[in-house]
Structure formats: C-alpha cells, structure tokens
Amino acid sequence: MPNLQKLADFKAFVARTWALSSPYFKSEEKWQARVLLISIIALNLGFVYTLVLFNEWNRYFYDALQEMNYPVFLEQLLRYSVLALIYIIIAVYRFYLTQYLELRWRAWMTRTYLQRWLDHQVYYHLELSRYAQLKPEASPDNPDQRIQEDLRIFTASTVGLSMGLLNALVTLLSFVGILWGLSGAFSFSWGEHEFEIPGFMLWVAILYCLLGSAITHYVGRPLIPLNYQQQRREADFRHNLVRVREYSEAIALDRGESVENRQLNLRFDHVVGNYLKLIDAQKRLTMFTATFGQASTVFPFIVAAPRFFSGAIQLGTLMQIASAFNRVQDSLSWFIDNYDALAAWRATTDRLSHFEIAIQAAGRKSGLDYQRNDTAGAGVTAHNLSLGLPTGGQLLSQAQLQAQPGDSVLLSGPSGSGKSTLFRALAGIWPLASGQVELPQSSMFIPQRPYFPNAALRDALAYPEPASRYDDATLQQALRDALLPHLVDQLDVVDAWGQKLSGGEQQRLALARVFLKKPAWIFADEATSALDHEAEQTLYARLLELVRQSQGAIISIAHRESVATFHSRSWTLEKRSDETVALFQLKQS
C-alpha cells in the first residue's frame, strides 16, 4: 500500500507540473516557444554528437602518442581544433537560447499570474482566507514571493533540468553501444563451470550508478520539505521587513522598535534554524556525491587496467573506454548530480501548485447577484442579502435595503457589527455574500484607508484612471475643493504619498478624487474621521452638494454626531440577544 500511495503521489505531482508547464506552449506565444524549444533540443543533440566524436578522437590521439606517430598526432590536433570550435559554437547558442526561452516563459507566466491574481479581487480574497486561518491550500503565504521568485525558479529549473535529462538520455543511448563494443567480455570460473559476461563495463556502470542513485535518494530525501520551508520562511522575513517600512511612523510613535526587533529576529531565527538543517542535509548529500564522483574518475581504469597490461588493448582504446564509461556513468548519475536541484524544484513546484489551486478557488463567484444599473434615477437595492465571515460565522441574514436618489443615509452600529463588511458587499467585493444587489453605475466608494500609488501626485489623485484624462486646472481645482491648496503646485512630484501625507491629508486627497470624478452616488466609510470639525463640516457640505447636482445620494459610515446631521435617514446594525446581527431600515425622521 505505501508503494501504491507513492505512485499515486508521483502521478499527481506529474499532473500538477504539466498543468503549470503546458499553458505557455499553447498560448499566443506558442509558435515562438515551440521553435525555441525545438532549437534547444536540436542543439543538445548536436552537443551529444560532438561528445561522441571526441570519444572517437581519444582513441586515435592516444594511439598516436603510444606509437609515436607524429603525422597522425598533428592530424588529430587539427581535428581536435575543428571539433572544439563546433563544440564552443553549440555550447554558446545552447546557453543563449535556453536563457532566452527561460526569460520569455517567465515573462509570460508572470504577466498571466499577475492578471489572474488581480482579476475579480482574487488578491483580496486570498488575504481574507489567510487571516481567517483557513486550510493551507486555500490561503497561500506571500503571493508576491510566489509570483516574483517561485516563477523564476520554476521556469529556469524546468528548462534546465528537462534539457539536462534529455542530454543524459541521449548521451546514454549514444555511448552505451560504444561501451558495449569496447569493454569486451569478462570470464570467470565457478566450480567446474566457465562463465562469460559480455559488455562487462556497461553492466558495471549500470550497477555502480543504480547503487549510487538509491543511496542518494535515501540521503537527500529531507531536502524537499526543507527547501519548501526555507522559501516560506525567507518570504515571511522579507514581508515583515516591508511592513516595518510601511508602518515606520506608527512604530516610531509607539516606540515599538524593541518589539519589532524581537519579532524580526525571531523570524530570522526561523530562517537560520531551517537553513542549518538544510545545509546539514546538503552536507551529507555532498559527502556522498563527492565520494561517488571521485571514485568514478579512476573506477573505469581499475576495471579495464588488466586488459591493458595484458596487451589486449592499446592506450587509445583504454582512454576511449574510460571516456565512454564516464559518459555512460554521467548519464546514469544525472539523478545523483541533480538531486539538490530537483529537491528545490519540487518544493517550488508544490508552492506554485498550491498557489494555482488557491487562485482558482478565490476566483469562483460568490452567491451574490451583483449588478450596476445605468438607468437614470436608479437607486440602491438589496434583496435577501446575507453576509458570512471567513471564520464561518454569519453576519447578516436575508436583509432588505433600499435608497433612492436624493437620500442621505447614515449606516451606524457598534464597532465590529459589520458596517464596513456591508459596504464591501454593496461594492461587490465581499466573497461570502448571497442575495441580490443593484447599484447605480455612477457610484464611488471611499474606504477607511485610502490607497495611493508611489507615483506623481496627479497619478495618485486620478487613480485608478490615467491622469491624462484630466487637465491640470481640473486636477488643481479638485485639490482646492478638498482643502489641499498647498499641493496644487506638486502635481508632477513623485513620492510615497501614503507615507508622506498625514492621516487627515490622506483623507482629503481621497475626497479630492471624488470631487475630480464627480460620481452621483458616494459611499463613505469613516471618510472624515481624521479631520477637524470645521474641515469635516465644509467637506461634507460639498459632498452633499455634489450628489444633489448629480441627482444621486450619499451613504456614510460614521460615529460622530456632527456627521449624522448631514443625513436624513439611517440604517442601523444592532446585535440581538442571540448575538446575531440584524439590519433595520429606519425611515426619515
């Protein structure tokens, strides 16, 4: 049964590897990819053929030395020069085309995975799954590392290892006949019987390498899980370094340097601890492979020496036998020589396979029937709206909502009752939702934490639209409307605006986007919580004026009483005695 399970696991791994590898060779770049691959295969075959010619050259050259035949010696030197030139040309272009194929394949896979990761808010759904601590395949760690590093390793290792395996197989097929013909038969007596083993050197090479492969697998097995864990822990450490940079001001204000130092050192200790296990496993593997490699250098001479000293073969034949033996042994030792690389490739392939499964799961549509209505006078409606939590809990059940143009609705409730989650469902991004939601086409959501790309201010202001859609006067007026007159002359300044601006300035810049794009419907989630009373009053008045001119409405989440005065209706989330959340729609007072 264990062997059957291993076979099933191997078949599943092959299927996953094929699923990751084949799309590129069926994509819009398939002909370029296939031509490159065929060219590389042809160069590898040519490379092996030159090795066969070099093996034949060994016999003529060393026979000329033994016979002191100077003309043949010079002839073989000239032949060697021609072969070496051909060998160099093939080696150079084999390397170049292989690297070019790896680059094109990586570029295609990176663009494809970036598109899939960003489509349908998959990146957002994956983070929800991870923070909810769901099963590992549904919540992959560090998607950035998988796209940036794992794809690079996968494409390079897949091309390199597959071409290496092809080389090994072709070399084996090319030299096995040569070694069989050169090695002769081995005769021995057993009792009264005489036995003869034809192609003795070939059988010795096969047994030698089979034994070495078995020992290598036994010694190197721990490398696969250790490589997997090393990639994960390196990515975790890098991710937390980035978080310190992103939240540098908050950490500095809290004097949290010692805590962050402990946390970073703890994660780095995990990196070092796993790496020590990894290099210990690599040490044991290297100890065996180095011993195996050194022994294989003299092994064919030891086995063939009796025939040479008996005069059965000349020096040239001995060198040809040794060369052929080494080529066969190298081919059969491919698994031994590449075990470390295979372990790292296996770990990378597993990580990408899990990432692929997670993307497919996160990309599935929720049970929410979500529509945008571009009909004039359309409002917000929600029927039988139910919201779940990533942890498995239920937030809302069969709720009904409605808002009409001209409304100003305040969504209120205690912290943690699900106000922001309801907004996410109305925006159509919450995956754990069911029911029907319909929103006007001209709608815009302002999140609690607005995002600004590290780019020119004009790009941060117009995001996600291209800034070229708006002239400078329009952009500057939006900044003035949002009470940011000191930024009007910085449209072309490139900076990390999410870190440079204060919390209040970031909220005003987010509102400047609203004034720039002029949506009819505005959904504001604590959009003015960092502003002073006067600025908040001014900006809310301008938001109300904007939606009235557009014949739309505003729906806000806020806790301040000063904001409540700008709203004529309210939706309230309250906790029932059974700790479920119920939504109540209250009419205008």
Side-chain angles (χ1 to χ4, degrees):
M1 289 302 291
N3 290 333
L4 290 177
Q5 183 58 46
K6 289 181 179 179
L7 180 60
D9 291 343
F10 177 74
K11 288 181 177 179
F13 173 73
V14 171
R16 293 196 304 270
T17 305
W18 178 254
L20 288 172
S21 305
S22 59
Y24 175 58
F25 296 93
K26 301 175 184 177
S27 69
E28 67 281 0
E29 296 185 16
K30 60 184 177 183
W31 293 116
Q32 299 96 315
R34 293 173 184 179
V35 168
L36 276 173
L37 183 60
I38 292 171
S39 300
I40 294 168
I41 291 173
L43 287 171
N44 275 278
L45 295 177
F47 185 81
V48 172
Y49 182 65
T50 59
L51 296 181
V52 173
L53 295 178
F54 272 123
N55 176 263
E56 183 185 35
W57 173 87
N58 269 297
R59 178 161 60 91
Y60 295 121
F61 182 74
Y62 285 101
D63 280 348
L65 286 177
Q66 185 179 23
E67 297 168 1
M68 297 185 181
N69 191 333
Y70 187 65
V72 174
F73 172 78
L74 293 178
E75 179 186 337
Q76 292 306 312
L77 281 181
L78 178 61
R79 185 185 178 198
Y80 178 84
S81 300
V82 174
L83 288 176
L85 178 61
I86 296 172
Y87 177 91
I88 291 169
I89 293 173
I90 292 175
V92 168
Y93 280 95
R94 185 181 68 155
F95 168 80
Y96 173 75
L97 292 181
T98 299
Q99 295 294 308
Y100 190 57
L101 175 60
E102 290 174 11
L103 178 62
R104 290 184 66 95
W105 191 5
R106 179 195 176 189
W108 183 88
M109 289 192 75
T110 300
R111 288 192 294 266
T112 301
Y113 270 88
L114 282 174
Q115 185 67 46
R116 296 178 61 203
W117 182 54
L118 293 172
D119 276 351
H120 308 297
Q121 292 86 42
V122 166
Y123 60 95
Y124 173 64
H125 299 165
L126 289 178
E127 289 301 302
L128 286 177
S129 299
R130 189 164 68 88
Y131 288 126
Q133 297 181 343
L134 298 180
K135 53 187 179 180
E137 62 268 23
S139 51
D141 60 281
N142 305 296
D144 53 321
Q145 187 257 2
R146 301 198 184 201
I147 293 174
Q148 183 269 325
E149 185 174 356
D150 286 352
L151 287 178
R152 176 185 62 82
I153 295 174
F154 175 76
T155 52
S157 297
T158 301
V159 174
L161 290 171
S162 59
M163 290 301 104
L165 179 59
L166 173 66
N167 258 357
L169 292 174
V170 175
T171 301
L172 178 63
L173 294 174
S174 300
F175 282 91
V176 70
I178 296 174
L179 186 59
W180 178 277
L182 292 172
S183 59
F186 176 72
S187 301
F188 65 96
S189 300
W190 183 268
E192 299 179 354
H193 300 281
E194 290 286 334
F195 296 93
E196 184 177 272
I197 302 176
F200 176 69
M201 291 290 292
L202 176 62
W203 297 116
V204 170
I206 292 173
L207 291 174
Y208 182 75
C209 294
L210 286 177
L211 178 63
S213 297
I215 297 174
T216 298
H217 181 58
Y218 176 78
V219 174
R221 277 185 304 177
L223 287 173
I224 295 174
L226 287 172
N227 272 293
Y228 187 99
Q229 288 298 323
Q230 190 64 28
Q231 292 176 14
R232 178 173 186 171
R233 290 175 180 180
E234 293 278 7
D236 284 341
F237 179 57
R238 183 171 60 245
H239 174 72
N240 281 272
L241 287 172
V242 173
R243 282 180 60 83
V244 171
R245 188 183 67 186
E246 289 178 345
Y247 293 92
S248 57
E249 183 178 359
I251 294 170
L253 289 172
D254 289 334
R255 300 293 191 270
E257 294 84 3
S258 60
V259 175
E260 295 304 317
N261 188 39
R262 285 197 302 272
Q263 290 295 322
L264 289 172
N265 273 289
L266 178 62
R267 294 182 184 279
F268 186 65
D269 287 344
H270 293 161
V271 171
V272 172
N274 192 82
Y275 193 69
L276 286 173
K277 295 178 183 177
L278 184 61
I279 61 175
D280 189 53
Q282 288 173 329
K283 178 191 72 175
R284 293 192 296 270
L285 181 62
T286 303
M287 185 180 298
F288 172 74
T289 54
T291 303
F292 183 86
Q294 289 300 314
S296 65
T297 302
V298 297
F299 191 76
F301 291 101
I302 294 174
V303 178
R307 295 180 65 208
F308 173 71
F309 287 113
S310 68
I313 58 174
Q314 290 186 300
L315 177 62
T317 305
L318 174 65
M319 297 305 296
Q320 190 178 12
I321 290 173
S323 174
F325 181 93
N326 284 326
R327 295 300 178 190
V328 171
Q329 181 264 324
D330 286 343
S331 301
L332 293 172
S333 301
W334 179 86
F335 179 76
I336 299 172
D337 298 334
N338 291 278
Y339 196 91
D340 195 5
L342 283 167
W345 174 72
R346 170 69 183 268
T348 300
T349 303
D350 285 341
R351 285 173 59 80
L352 283 177
S353 296
H354 294 158
F355 187 45
E356 173 69 23
I357 294 171
I359 286 180
Q360 291 178 6
R364 297 186 188 119
K365 293 183 179 180
S366 68
L368 186 67
D369 180 10
Y370 186 81
Q371 297 180 5
R372 290 285 187 120
N373 194 338
D374 57 0
T375 305
V380 172
T381 58
H383 298 293
N384 302 320
L385 180 61
S386 297
L387 302 180
L389 295 172
T391 53
Q394 188 75 13
L395 194 60
L396 288 178
S397 178
Q398 303 296 311
Q400 313 294 325
L401 288 172
Q402 188 171 14
Q404 299 298 328
D407 285 342
S408 51
V409 182
L410 178 67
L411 176 59
S412 60
S415 296
S417 60
K419 300 184 295 296
S420 296
T421 303
L422 176 57
F423 261 34
R424 294 171 189 136
L426 293 177
I429 68 170
W430 190 250
L432 306 174
S434 62
Q436 300 86 38
V437 170
E438 185 175 298
L439 251 65
Q441 186 67 39
S442 179
S443 299
M444 187 170 177
F445 286 79
I446 312 173
Q448 289 184 20
R449 295 179 56 196
Y451 167 75
F452 306 104
N454 295 344
L457 179 59
R458 64 172 71 247
D459 295 313
L461 176 57
Y463 181 86
E465 297 176 343
S468 57
R469 291 188 179 182
Y470 304 96
D471 57 37
D472 286 4
T474 304
L475 294 168
Q476 290 169 349
Q477 186 58 49
L479 292 171
R480 293 190 186 95
D481 290 342
L483 307 181
L484 292 171
H486 57 288
L487 295 180
V488 296
D489 59 347
Q490 298 187 41
L491 289 176
D492 294 314
V493 175
V494 177
D495 213 327
W497 299 103
Q499 295 178 324
K500 180 177 181 178
L501 300 179
S502 68
E505 287 176 319
Q506 290 183 47
Q507 287 193 337
R508 280 181 278 167
L509 185 56
L511 292 173
R513 285 178 180 168
V514 178
F515 296 131
L516 177 68
K517 300 175 183 182
K518 296 180 170 53
W521 285 74
I522 299 173
F523 297 79
D525 186 356
E526 297 284 0
T528 59
S529 58
L531 301 183
D532 60 84
H533 177 75
E534 183 179 352
E536 184 178 62
Q537 294 290 303
T538 301
L539 290 172
Y540 248 99
R542 291 179 179 176
L543 289 174
L544 282 175
E545 180 62 26
L546 174 62
V547 297
R548 285 169 184 162
Q549 290 178 356
S550 305
Q551 297 182 345
I554 186 169
I555 301 176
S556 305
I557 297 175
H559 290 94
R560 293 182 181 178
E561 289 296 329
S562 56
V563 175
T565 60
F566 288 95
H567 300 81
S568 58
R569 299 179 58 203
S570 64
W571 295 339
T572 306
L573 289 168
E574 296 178 347
K575 285 189 179 287
R576 291 177 172 174
S577 58
D578 60 359
E579 296 187 353
T580 60
V581 178
L583 178 67
F584 297 89
Q585 181 178 326
L586 302 181
K587 294 183 179 181
Q588 178 180 343
S589 59

